[in-house]
Amino acid sequence: MVLVLALGDLHIPHRAPDLPAKFKSMLVPGKIQHVICTGNLCIKEVHEYLKTVCPDLHITRGEYDEDSRYPDTKTLTIGQFKLGVCHGHQVIPWGDLDSLAMLQRQLDVDILVTGHTHQFTAYKHEAGVVINPGSATGAFSSITYDVNPSFVLMDIDGLRVVVYVYELIDGEVKVDKIDFKKTTTPTNLPH
Amino acid sequence: MMMSNGIEDEEKWLAEGIAGIQHNAFYLHRALDSNNLREALKYSAQLLSELRTSRLSPHKYYELCKVLHMRAFDELRRLEIFFKEEDRHGCPVIDLYELVQHAGNILPRLYLLCTVGSVYIKSKEAPAKDILRDLVEMCRAVQHPVRGLFLRSYLAQVSRDKLPDIGSEYEGEGDTVMDAVEFVLQNFIEMNKLWVRMQHQGIFYEANVSFGDRDPELKPSFGVSGLQGPHREKEKLEKERNELRDLVGKNLHVLSQIEGIDLEMYRDTVLPSVLEQIVNCKDELAQYYLMDCIIQVFPDEYHLQTLETLLSACPQLQPTVDLKTVLSQLMERLSNYASLNPELLPEFLQVEAFSKLSNAIGKVMEAQVDMPVVGAISLYVSLLTFTLRVHPDRLDYVDQVLGACVKILSGKPKLEDSKATKQVVALLSAPLDKYDDIVTALTLSNYPRVMDHLDAGTNKVMAMVIIRSIMKNKSWVSTSDKVEVLFELIKGLIKDLEGISTDELDEEDFNEEQNSVACLMHMLYNDEPEEMLKIICTVWKHVMSGGPKRLPFTVPSLVFSALKLVRRLQGQDGDVGGEEVPATPKKIFQLLNQIIETLSVVPAPELALRLYLQCAEAANDCDLEPVAYDFFTQAFVLYEEEVADSKAQVTAIHLIIGTLQRVNVFGVENRDTLTHKATGYSAKLLKKPDQCRAVYACSHLFWVDDQDGIKDGERVLLCLKRSLRIANAAQQMTNVTRGSSGPVTLFVEILNKYLYFFEKGNPQITASVIQGLIELIKTEMQSDNAVVNPVSDAFFTSTLRYIQFQKEKGGAMGEKYDSIKLGG
């Protein structure tokens, strides 16, 4: 069982002062094996905080990030899964799942983690899963109204990944989960 | 040289003294075992004679006494037992009492007398008070300070459990608590006098002086320290006095343990006597120590009730006494007392504790004009702590304390002493910690006045403390008035104050400060849109003069605050019941324009561009076409004129396209102008692949999936074709410049876009078009100078897989894809 935290669009300090206290108390160092961050932290203090949660940290560049050296996309392998990360402001139309699916094909990953819309989604299509962990701070978004703070925890076990989404609604943390199973053999293609 | 010899000698004498004690103890035991009173007295007197030495420093004398007392308690206890068992020695205690007074030398005589006296009291053959009085008087015969102190200390020890306290067996007719009190007080007074006398006689160990058998007790001894200079002399003396102070203080401790002393007796007898001695001895060391003792040893309840008396002694003390520490201690104890016993708070009010303490402090300040600022402020910190614990609701008291500090700080140059500044910071932080609602503290009129006296650096430290307090307590600041006060207080962070220019600052510290201010803005909130707008305006008023270094931090926070407000007001056009309402989206957009414009002085074009786009989208949501158009214009102008970096341009143009794709407020003309611009700039990006991608992104500008969204299939196709041409050109260029074709990635991306619109039902995009593109890619991949690129290969493969998947879906989708052939 490998735990992967996916979060992003914190927009600290421009749109939010900090992560919700209830989230912070859940993100205990040492419990999570990997952290994926879609971008828009925006300042290095957030980077440093995430590093304390887990040193294996993967960040992609959001359009407001102070550090411009984060890459536009990143791919990594965790267990049997190939994951891709991209903030998502580069994929137009923003939040469009078909366009994101194209990016997924391009990166050749099973799970694409992306952000920008501040709206949690978990979408399965023929090539894999697109996950948007939303905004961990509930930051203002021009795209989504009434953003609740949210983040995602993926439990990768063999060919199965359970996606837990944590949302802070009216001061309470609500959890939901979705199961995905990876198919091992791709369909044969005539060339 | 002299020193080390002295120390060696002392060790020698101590060893000799101990040896002497042991030697005589041996014989004493023999005498006790054989019930030989005469011998017992003889050897115990000799044993006690070791205490007659003047050779030892008080420290070593103390050690000797400790050894003696350890040994001697055994011995003297044995002796006591022996004395008590009249049948062993046949001498009634009353006679014994007489007998021991014949001992040759006065010191052993008195030790023995105290020991017998203890037995005498126990025998109850005479009233305790008579014996006690006798003993405490007799000890006067020893006027040598050190010896006298130890002797009386011994007296205190042996008499401790024989005082006629309430409920003790020694209480009786004529033997009352009062007698016990008088005894202890008398002993205390004599001991203090001896102790103080040390100061004047400069007693400490002497080298090579021996008095032989003569009574040295009555003769004062003088030190031979002249060799070390007067300052060292003074230091040494103080040290030695300090070592003995507990002997004196112990009496007060004993007093505090006497159960029969109630508040009345304490107030009417004990405290006045003790204070009288303290005042009259006129000794700085004694006064400081004993005042502190009183405070530590007696119950807080008593202090509260005798506050006036206690405080009135203070001005009578020597001017050099560290009264601020004494008063601070007192206030701290009372503060803790109040904390632990909140039900007693009315008592505090009743005795008017605050005003008494406040007045006492005032008097001290008047008397000690030269008190350094750090001392004065720390005194007020104690008073403030007290006030916050005991009278937290009395903001006027709190303000008064701050006001007193303002007075101290006025007329002096800005604080440079770091200790003093620390105290001022402690002073200002105390109300913040106490009141959950920070604003309570901030509205104290003297609060900003105190802050004004801080130097610029400390001012900023304090400002950070305030911000941190607000963030930690999640205190909302909800009116523009309070925001005004707050931002005045933290002005050191908001703009350059005199004395510090931003260039001198450490970058990390500066960034931390500014990020704090940015975070702070999210705590300024009011449900009422009018008030919220006032808040935003107040903040802007303060923040606008922050200069180019600060604006990139503060502007975004403020902009998003304003955008949140706009969203709340969406749909309201400013006409509530026919009246003109100040807070409208339009007004806010005007303000936003002003705010974002100031970024040009930084300059921060990329940030400004992003913020303009945010505003454009918000204006779109408010149905304000001209406003939205204007924001887009501003964004484009920045793009044209200011964003020069090619990478930045790529991001910027995508942001513009992405935003434009989402807005639907524009009429045809405006929309055309903007999309034309967007496409135009897309095609002009520096690198061909970037051009290609931006152009196909533009295709989405002409197709919006909503119900009433634009669906201009032709223009979509135009974009896609254009991007295809660019991709081709890119390929050719790579052929020429690198001798091999570049990856087919771009083509595959474009293919995916074709598929997207194909699926959406763009009539211009047919299956054959798709087919053509697939063939094109295959050809490219198989061409002679193709470079194998696994990434683009995988992409193509997965795209084909997708097509296959769609074909296999069946239904309408399957039908669409039916004519696309993948094989061959």
Side-chain angles (χ1 to χ4, degrees), chain B residues 613-680:
Chain B
L613 291 175
Q614 292 280 342
C615 292
E617 208 171 334
N620 169 77
D621 293 348
C622 291
D623 244 348
L624 296 168
E625 186 180 348
V627 178
Y629 188 81
D630 183 61
F631 280 124
F632 267 108
T633 310
Q634 308 250 42
F636 271 117
V637 167
L638 281 176
Y639 181 86
E640 284 165 37
E641 296 178 7
E642 308 287 343
V643 183
D645 175 77
S646 46
K647 223 175 147 209
Q649 281 183 339
V650 173
T651 309
I653 201 63
H654 277 279
L655 292 174
I656 292 174
I657 298 168
T659 313
L660 195 50
Q661 195 269 342
R662 293 177 55 77
V663 307
N664 52 16
V665 74
F666 293 123
V668 173
E669 271 186 36
N670 279 340
R671 190 166 180 85
D672 276 349
T673 312
L674 294 174
T675 51
H676 180 72
K677 273 267 178 196
T679 332

Side-chain angles (χ1 to χ4, degrees), chain A residues 13 63 96 106 141-142 145, chain B residues 522 567 570 610 617 621 749:
Chain A
E63 78 276 32
D96 180 72
Q106 187 167 3
S141 161
S142 58
Y145 284 35
Chain B
H522 301 295
R567 189 169 280 176
Q570 230 163 277
R610 283 152 177 70
E617 208 171 334
D621 293 348
E749 289 175 40

